Amino acid sequence: MPARRRNSTIPVSVQVDWRRVRRFVGRAAALAAAVPLTAGAAVMITDKVRGQRHPLNATFPTARPSTTEVDETRATVYTFGADLYEDMLAAIDGAQHTVFLESYIWKADETGERFKQAVADAAARGVDVYVIYDGFANLVVPPAFYVFPPQVRVLRFPAFRAGLLTLRIRNSGRDHRKILVVDDEIAFVGGYNIGALYATQWRDTHLRLEGPAAWELRNAFVDFWNRWRNPQLPVLQDVGAEHWQPSLRAARNAPSDLVFPIRGIYLDAIDRATSHIYITQAYFIPDRDILNGLLAAAARGVDVRVLVPERSNHSLADWLARGRYTKLLRGGVRIMLYQGAMVHAKTATIDGRWSTVGTANIDRLSLTGNYEINLEIVDPGLAAELEDVFRMDESNARELTYQEWQGRSRLNKIAERVLEPLEPLL
């Protein structure tokens, strides 16, 4: 008997039209992406209108610059932009050998012009001047503003990088650093960009170093310059460090090289806390490990406080940050909402011993995407200074309670969920 042939034809009733499936999946994916993107755009437009009606221009408490000695280096804390800018400009005016200036944003306003003139004057008297600015952050600035005299060497960090189209954050992040180093002896770092708005209307924190620890910021500038310079720009000499100062070190994120120490210093310090943790952040969207670290600290009795703007200049960041509030408040972390003005500082102090001041926010973009720099300082004197600053800022903040947070509107709760997929962008 001949073998029976198996019918391999799929019955019509169960055949699958893969073209339709692909179209359906594609449309579903597009819809899934469109919903949070549309919601995000709506939130930003709404908050922009609200911001025009209620600008963040209220007065806020500040303190005069205060100085403490850290391991043979004088460290000065600034909480008001106008004070900082005067001392930065005075340092540039007094430069005899070198000026290294790096800024994420450099506005073409009166304050920006003062800095531009200062570096031009320094170059004219024979000082070697090197300038770095971020191309993307300054797209709204007229290109003519960045035309310097030929003696000023200028590195424009590319506005658009290869990872932007594929959303590969480590290959598309920005140069978010703010550094000034003069004559290898005086150095500044912190949250302040350059512009009139930041001089008087934003609460930020910057640190000035005078002494051997200035090398930390010089070295950071030199390494970045040599990494990103074009062939027309000279190589800067790496001089090495004559002094080792373990109590004051710079942590530098370099995403293209997969180097992210700032996140590490936060995690290590939070894990060590036994008394208190005071964090001030402009945009606070902690990842799972940092969130869990703060919750674990609170659970073992540490007084954990996070101070953030009640309304920042980036509304989407505010909404994404609120997605963490339920866990934080329920876990005993206290949230302080800064009132009436933008607080842009990126600082923390723990147990009266450990502190950090720098450029990195606690969010995905800063900790794994942008070039950032934070100083890590283990010193009770500087910790005391920053605790005083934190208490000053608390005097202009209100505490968000768990009961108040639970009573927010259902619409707000829905918006937080809808916007959550946009978190990788920040």
Side-chain angles (χ1 to χ4, degrees):
M1 178 181 295
R4 297 177 61 183
R5 297 179 60 187
R6 178 176 295 177
N7 187 354
S8 60
T9 304
I10 300 175
V12 175
S13 58
V14 295
Q15 284 186 349
V16 178
D17 187 337
W18 291 108
R19 287 176 297 179
R20 286 188 178 183
V21 171
R22 284 193 292 269
R23 284 198 298 268
F24 175 79
V25 171
R27 288 170 181 171
L31 180 61
V35 170
L37 288 172
T38 303
V43 163
M44 289 188 287
I45 292 171
T46 301
D47 282 11
K48 184 174 181 61
V49 172
R50 185 179 66 170
Q52 291 173 344
R53 294 177 179 173
H54 306 284
L56 295 169
N57 58 3
T59 57
F60 51 86
T62 62
R64 295 294 301 167
S66 57
T67 302
T68 187
E69 194 87 10
V70 181
D71 204 9
E72 300 184 15
T73 293
R74 286 169 52 85
T76 302
V77 177
Y78 295 86
T79 63
F80 192 55
D83 294 334
L84 170 69
Y85 292 158
E86 291 305 318
D87 284 0
M88 289 176 71
L89 289 165
I92 296 171
D93 290 343
Q96 299 181 20
H97 307 292
T98 56
V99 171
F100 300 149
L101 178 58
E102 181 176 358
S103 187
Y104 176 60
I105 295 174
W106 189 340
K107 298 284 191 182
D109 55 21
E110 180 182 354
T111 298
E113 289 286 356
R114 289 183 67 192
F115 275 87
K116 181 178 179 180
Q117 189 62 52
V119 297
D121 291 345
R125 64 176 183 268
V127 175
D128 290 329
V129 178
Y130 299 83
V131 167
I132 303 173
Y133 70 94
D134 187 85
F136 184 83
N138 296 284
L139 285 176
V140 297
V141 177
F145 177 75
Y146 292 108
V147 177
F148 289 84
Q151 302 98 315
V152 178
R153 283 90 164 194
V154 180
L155 191 163
R156 178 180 183 268
F157 191 70
F160 300 100
R161 299 172 60 208
L164 185 63
L165 295 177
T166 57
L167 298 181
R168 295 183 64 191
I169 190 169
R170 73 180 184 87
N171 290 326
S172 62
R174 311 313 318 158
D175 174 20
H176 194 243
R177 310 188 318 172
K178 300 94 177 172
I179 296 173
L180 171 64
V181 184
V182 175
D183 290 344
D184 298 350
E185 288 293 325
I186 302 173
F188 299 79
V189 70
Y192 279 102
N193 293 292
I194 297 175
L197 171 70
Y198 318 119
T200 58
Q201 295 186 43
W202 282 28
R203 231 306 283 136
D204 213 330
T205 301
H206 228 73
L207 199 64
R208 167 179 166 146
L209 304 177
E210 297 175 76
W215 177 88
E216 297 285 337
L217 300 178
R218 181 203 189 275
N219 189 55
F221 184 97
V222 167
D223 286 351
F224 187 89
W225 177 277
N226 289 340
R227 168 69 171 80
W228 290 100
R229 69 179 186 86
N230 60 47
Q232 286 71 46
L233 294 172
V235 174
L236 287 174
Q237 184 180 6
D238 185 351
V239 297
E242 295 183 3
H243 304 275
W244 287 71
Q245 296 182 290
S247 60
L248 200 163
R249 301 285 297 276
R252 298 179 285 156
N253 281 5
S256 295
D257 301 319
L258 295 178
V259 175
F260 309 108
I262 298 175
R263 180 176 179 273
I265 67 171
Y266 267 110
L267 287 169
D268 181 67
I270 291 169
D271 199 39
R272 294 172 184 269
T274 59
S275 172
H276 57 273
I277 298 173
Y278 300 154
I279 294 173
T280 303
Q281 283 286 303
Y283 320 111
F284 182 68
I285 313 172
D287 62 28
R288 180 181 60 187
D289 291 338
I290 293 178
L291 179 68
N292 289 341
L294 294 173
L295 293 174
R300 64 178 179 265
V302 176
D303 178 10
V304 182
R305 307 184 195 186
V306 178
L307 189 145
V308 295
E310 179 152 23
R311 179 166 61 90
S312 80
N313 65 318
H314 288 309
S315 57
L316 185 56
D318 294 343
W319 280 95
L320 294 175
R322 291 167 193 152
R324 305 291 195 278
Y325 285 3
T326 298
K327 284 186 177 180
L328 289 166
L329 292 169
R330 191 167 53 204
V333 175
R334 300 174 65 184
I335 298 176
M336 310 296 174
L337 302 177
Y338 201 73
Q339 299 294 292
M342 176 61 191
V343 59
H344 190 252
K346 299 95 168 56
T347 64
T349 185
I350 295 178
D351 286 358
R353 291 181 290 177
W354 179 94
S355 303
T356 185
V357 177
T359 69
N361 301 298
I362 297 181
D363 60 22
R364 183 171 181 263
L365 190 58
S366 274
L367 296 185
T368 61
N370 288 339
Y371 284 84
E372 305 278 5
I373 181 167
N374 270 45
L375 291 178
E376 181 184 30
I377 311 109
V378 182
D379 180 80
L382 188 62
E385 296 281 357
L386 290 174
E387 287 184 8
D388 287 343
V389 171
F390 189 87
R391 283 188 283 269
M392 176 189 74
D393 290 336
E394 276 192 316
S395 72
N396 191 54
R398 70 176 187 88
E399 184 168 0
L400 177 66
T401 65
Y402 182 65
Q403 182 178 7
E404 177 190 347
W405 181 243
Q406 286 297 92
R408 70 196 186 283
S409 72
R410 183 177 296 275
L411 181 61
N412 281 7
K413 294 177 182 179
I414 294 173
E416 291 160 19
R417 291 289 185 89
V418 170
L419 294 171
E420 190 173 351
L422 298 182
E423 182 181 315
L425 301 179
L426 298 178

